[in-house]
Structures are given as structure tokens and as C-alpha cells.
Amino acid sequence: MSDELKPDITAPFSPVNPPIPEETSQPAPAPLEPVQAADTSVPPKPVAPPAAPPTAPPAEPKSTPDQEQPSAPVNAPGTQVIDVEKRVGSDTDTGKTLQLSWGARSDVGLIREHNEDSFLVHAPLFCVCDGMGGHAAGEVASAIAVRSIAEHAPAVADDILLGASIELANTAIIDGAQQGVGKPGMGCTATAAILENNRLAIAHVGDSRLYVLHEGTLVRVTHDHSFVEELIDAGEITADEARSHPSRSVITRALGSDPNMYADHFTLDIEKGDRIIICSDGLSSMVSDSTIEDLAVSSATPQQAADNLVAEALAEGGHDNVTVIVVDVTNGDSAIFRRHARRRALITWLIAILVPIMLLTVSAWLVVQNSWYIGTNGTTVAIYQGVNSAPFGYKLSTLSETTSIKVADLPETTQHLLEEGISVSGPEAARKTVEDYRDQITKEKDEAASKLDTVKDQDAQTTSKEGD
């Protein structure tokens, strides 16, 4: 997979379709020139018996020229000077989803002995990291970076979190060097993008680049963190002069050196038909932006675009490793996005309604569980847990304790209060109030009995006097 840690590619470069040598191979290959069909064709190899190829259906022994045409668009004649598919030390990744289609290629180049670039293709996340340090294990740094970014990058187009994932990759590289993984001084660039619906989140450090091809016009949306870019900004050199400047490899910000490094990050709007190009400086330092635009416009598929761009960088000298990821937005404004947007809106609406209802329900339940009151249970006094209410016919209280106290024995005012429910702080307070009622009734009965006895005694005395 493209996002796995790649070992050093130490195989020497071999030209595309080389003629069969009659003597031993040269110690170092000469600069690669455009392939000439008459001089570079390989002698015929033994062919299989005249039978249908294994991949052809046995029921169709004959095929017309129209049937033999490939289903994918054919590359424009003369666009690709070098057949990068046959190159040693080249890695590729092609795929598509409902919304995106992509192609990627990474090549060791014509000068370097091994490829220090790493790239990550994990749709909708794409990333290119260009290792630095040469024998100081730049390829290890770039591999650590893509692993860390793949682990920590968000699942949505959030540029802040994407930038944070690059900053975490910086920490991982520094920690790796301290722990003996790779070597001190190793580092890399990082340019990452997440495409979600019509949004493109970008995070960037170093001189790898991200371009957007919109309606045939190529726009570079990242800013190189390099010495020559500062010279360009100051108006001292042009972009063409920067590609051959002696200090073109001096990077002013990269992963692996400064623990406080930060990533540029931002979000752009994209549309269906836009083409995203992420590349290492192995492309941008060898090929002008105008040529990149021409090749991006003339290539039918993302993989063809990636291959054509890498081939052009090699044809211009291939002084560095070259990595290119091309992503096409194929369904940016389709019905599926609108359906997802409606679904998210519906979910948001439901959450906005259900969450307050749930909070109210939980609050009501807590109130019920922590509320107590004294009320009536038929003709007697009782203790209840909850609230003396029944919204929509649902009682919010339960009978906790019954008593033998008759409601009719209490004062009329107390009877009315019991009908409405007398709130108390808890079950102990309720029992104390009930006992107070009991004592009050007993006291009143005792007083009534005492008064009755007094009246009887007085009546007896009056009768006795009258008899005398």
C-alpha cells in the first residue's frame, strides 16, 4: 500500500525499453532522451500458440478493432515521453469512490539511488511527504509522517485538525530520531488534503505543493516554505529562476527539526470537475506551472495525469524523487451530496428537539424521585413519593405509607391542604407531620372528653341542688 513504510529502493535506474546490448552495460546511464520507436524496440519474444488469450472469452474467437479498444480513455499521442509504468523504483495507486477518482505515482528519479518520498492515499485523505537528509534517513522520516497523519487525521474536512495531525507527525519524527528510528537530522515536508462534498481542507509544511485545476486554469494554493520562495516574494528572482537557483533546496520550515513547528491550514470550496494535484518538489522544481497545467488539462484520467507529470519531470532531468497524486472531483454537486445534506439537517433537527425533551424528562424524573408529600388515601392520611400531579393521566407519585388517621378528624383547613398535597422535604419529615396530626387529634379528643366530663359533673351538681 502507498501509506506503508517503504524500504530504500536501491535498484539502479534503467532506461525505458532499452535496446538489447551486445556488451556489458555502461557503469552509469546517460541522460534519458525521448524514446525512438525504430531504435528502441525490443526483439520479438516467443509468442504463445495461436489461441485465444487467457483473458478473452472463449465464445468469441474473433474480435473487431472496435471490440479491442480499452474501456479507459487513451493517453494523447506524444504526451508521455517516458513509459513510467515500466520504470524500476516506481510506485502507483489508483482508485475511485462515488465522489472521487484518483491516481498516484512516485518515482525515484534519474539521479537519486533511493526514493525518500512517501505518499498516502486513504480517500478522502491524500498526502505527500518529501523526505530530507539523504543518508540521514529522509525516507524514514517521510514514512513516519504519513503513518502518523493517517492515524491522527480527521474523518471530515477540518483543516485545523488536519494541521494538528501534521504537527503530531513532526513530534513523531523527532521522537523517532531520539529513540534510534532513523537518524538525527532526518526530516520531511508534508502536504495533506481531505475532500468532503464541496469542501477541501488543506494542511501544509515545506515545499511540496497542492494545485487546483478549475475550469482549465491551474492555481497553486499552497505557499512554499523555502528560501527561494522568500526571494520570489521579495521580487528578487522569478519562479523560473527559482527552479535553477543554487539555494532551491533550502527549506525554511519542515517536519523533524523544530518541536514548535506549526502547519499552514485552510479550507477551500471545490466543485464537480475540479482536479486536485499534490506533488513533491521533484515535479515543481523540474516542470513549470504552465506545463503542469497543459498536462493536467490534456490528461483524460487522474492516473494518466500523474503518469504524464512524472514522465515530464524525468524528461527534464529527473534530478529528484518525483511523487504526484491527482484527484478528480467526479460527483461534487450530485444528488447524493444533497441527500446527505438533507439527512444531516434532519438529524440536526431531531437532535435539537429530542435533546431538550430528554433533558426535561430526566429533570422531571429526578424531581419525582426526590419529592415527597402528604395527601389522602380514601378517608385516611397517607405519605406519597413524587408530585401530586397527573399530566395526560400519568400519575407522578407513588403511595409510600398509609396511616390510620381519619381525614375527617382533622381541621377543615388541613383537610383542604391534604387534598392538594402538602409538600415535605423527605419521608422523615412526612412521618413527623403525620405524628403531629395524630397528637393533635388525640389532644383535641382528650380536651373534648374533659369538657364533656366537666359538663356532666356540673349537670349532676345542678340536679342535686334542685333535689335538695
Side-chain angles (χ1 to χ4, degrees), residues 45-323:
K45 297 181 181 179
V47 297
T55 59
E60 297 179 4
K62 296 181 180 181
S63 61
T64 64
D66 292 340
Q67 293 173 324
E68 294 175 354
Q69 291 181 358
S71 58
V74 180
N75 208 2
T79 300
Q80 189 180 122
V81 180
I82 300 172
D83 188 356
V84 293
E85 294 183 2
K86 298 181 180 180
R87 291 267 301 144
V88 176
S90 183
D91 188 19
T92 185
D93 193 308
T94 304
K96 63 181 179 179
T97 64
L98 291 176
Q99 295 82 31
L100 305 173
S101 176
W102 65 85
R105 183 168 295 277
S106 183
D107 193 280
V108 67
L110 306 182
I111 305 298
R112 302 293 178 87
E113 294 182 355
H114 60 280
N115 195 344
E116 295 186 348
D117 290 355
S118 296
F119 68 93
L120 172 65
V121 173
H122 188 64
L125 170 64
F126 303 89
C127 179
V128 168
C129 293
D130 182 357
M132 301 182 303
H135 293 289
E139 72 278 6
V140 177
S142 64
I144 292 174
V146 296
R147 281 182 175 176
S148 180
I149 293 169
E151 180 180 356
H152 297 104
V156 296
D158 188 321
D159 61 287
I160 297 176
L161 295 180
L162 184 59
S165 70
I166 290 182
E167 293 163 4
L168 288 172
N170 174 59
T171 302
I173 294 172
I174 295 174
D175 292 344
Q178 294 175 349
Q179 296 168 6
V181 179
K183 298 179 181 178
M186 67 179 181
C188 69
T189 69
T191 301
I194 295 179
L195 294 89
E196 181 190 18
N197 298 345
N198 63 338
R199 300 176 69 241
L200 171 63
I202 302 166
H204 164 72
V205 172
D207 62 350
S208 296
R209 292 182 177 179
L210 188 145
Y211 297 88
V212 175
L213 182 70
H214 176 70
E215 296 181 350
T217 301
L218 187 73
V219 179
R220 174 160 68 102
V221 298
T222 55
H223 188 272
D224 293 350
H225 302 134
S226 64
F227 177 69
V228 294
E229 187 78 356
E230 294 179 356
L231 295 178
I232 294 173
D233 294 341
E236 298 183 14
I237 62 174
T238 65
D240 289 336
E241 292 171 341
R243 287 197 297 274
S244 58
H245 195 278
S247 300
R248 63 185 179 274
S249 298
V250 178
I251 306 300
T252 57
R253 195 194 308 176
L255 284 71
S257 57
D258 181 7
N260 298 318
M261 180 224 74
Y262 61 94
D264 294 347
H265 57 83
F266 50 93
T267 301
L268 300 176
D269 292 333
I270 54 176
E271 300 176 1
K272 178 182 178 181
D274 287 351
R275 173 166 283 181
I276 315 301
I277 300 173
I278 310 173
C279 65
S280 63
D281 70 327
L283 174 68
S284 57
S285 65
M286 302 301 300
V287 183
S288 66
D289 286 2
S290 60
T291 303
I292 293 175
E293 179 182 272
D294 292 340
L295 292 173
V297 169
S298 61
S299 301
T301 67
Q303 189 60 59
Q304 286 179 4
D307 291 348
N308 292 339
L309 291 169
V310 170
E312 183 67 20
L314 297 179
E316 292 294 330
H319 296 163
D320 198 358
N321 311 139
V322 190
T323 300

Side-chain angles (χ1 to χ4, degrees), residues 376-426:
T376 60
N377 180 30
T379 60
T380 59
V381 177
I383 299 174
Y384 291 87
Q385 181 182 17
V387 178
N388 188 20
S389 179
F392 306 106
Y394 181 78
K395 296 185 63 176
L396 299 181
S397 61
T398 57
L399 180 63
S400 176
E401 296 181 21
T402 60
T403 70
S404 60
I405 300 174
K406 299 290 186 179
V407 176
D409 292 338
L410 294 170
E412 186 174 349
T413 303
T414 305
Q415 295 181 26
H416 290 308
L417 292 175
L418 288 172
E419 290 293 335
E420 296 177 359
I422 301 174
S423 298
V424 291
S425 60

Side-chain angles (χ1 to χ4, degrees), residues 6-18:
K6 300 192 286 293
D8 292 350
I9 302 173
T10 57
F13 160 71
S14 58
V16 180
N17 293 335

Side-chain angles (χ1 to χ4, degrees), residues 434-445:
V434 168
E435 290 302 321
D436 290 342
Y437 289 161
R438 195 186 306 277
D439 292 343
Q440 181 182 356
I441 293 172
T442 301
K443 180 180 179 180
E444 290 177 352
K445 286 183 177 181

